[in-house]
Amino acid sequence: MSAAPGDAGAPLPWHRVLTLLADIGLFIGTRSVWTQAVTHHLVLAALISVCYVSILVTGVLTLTVRSTRSLARLDLVVLVTAVTLALCTWALNHNGGDEGALTTQAARELIAGHPVYGQAWPWLFHNTGIALTPTIGGGYDYTYGYPPLAPLLTVPLLWLGHHGAPATAVCAGALIAGSV
């Protein structure tokens, strides 16, 4: 019996190892996200549990499949599982920190035609629970001092809300796009 067209037979060992490493890497941080979700977001906890099953099954299958095509399909399963976990993590932790809040505010100021640099926005952090990054002088920086690409990419996502959600959505989207 001959191999199917485009199927080069048994997968190369390095392909198996890379797929297995990518699959095992999905365990990193998954437990803490599941623990966070299980208390208040049961649908996300169930989805993360399905991802756990996917990681385990894919790991076993990566070691046992006999064809390159089957291993390529498992690569796709690992990618889909990674994207699902990234989206679940973003859904649980979408506000980000002080940089996300400052980037979102910079995007709002940008579309309003106001200056972005050198403007202090201390009111962003009152009663929000967002941790601030201390400066060397012992204070906090309430101004936006980063390159302009992040606010430009954040502008189309301002509809996602306040604080850092639009900025963190850009980061999550870039991570997912880079992974794909």
Side-chain angles (χ1 to χ4, degrees), residues 86 89-91 93-97 99-101 103-104 154 157 160 162-175:
T89 302
W90 182 81
N93 303 306
H94 57 275
N95 280 335
E99 293 174 11
T103 300
T104 299
T154 302
L157 300 177
L160 286 174
H162 297 287
H163 304 299
T168 59
V170 169
C171 295
L175 174 70

Side-chain angles (χ1 to χ4, degrees), residues 120-134:
W121 303 311
W123 52 266
L124 283 176
F125 305 104
H126 292 295
N127 300 321
T128 61
I130 296 174
L132 294 169
T133 304

Side-chain angles (χ1 to χ4, degrees), residues 5 12 50 56 59 71 75 82 84 94 114 119 121 128 142 157 178:
L12 296 171
V50 169
L56 293 171
L71 192 56
D75 289 339
T84 303
H94 57 275
H114 300 142
Q119 308 300 312
W121 303 311
T128 61
Y142 300 110
L157 300 177

Side-chain angles (χ1 to χ4, degrees), residues 83-159:
V83 168
T84 303
L85 287 171
L87 291 173
C88 288
T89 302
W90 182 81
L92 290 168
N93 303 306
H94 57 275
N95 280 335
D98 58 344
E99 293 174 11
L102 286 169
T103 300
T104 299
Q105 183 60 32
R108 290 186 195 291
E109 297 294 324
L110 185 70
I111 62 171
H114 300 142
V116 172
Y117 296 105
Q119 308 300 312
W121 303 311
W123 52 266
L124 283 176
F125 305 104
H126 292 295
N127 300 321
T128 61
I130 296 174
L132 294 169
T133 304
T135 61
I136 293 174
Y140 299 100
D141 189 7
Y142 300 110
T143 63
Y144 188 76
Y146 306 102
L149 182 60
L152 290 171
L153 295 174
T154 302
V155 166
L157 300 177
L158 288 175
W159 59 271

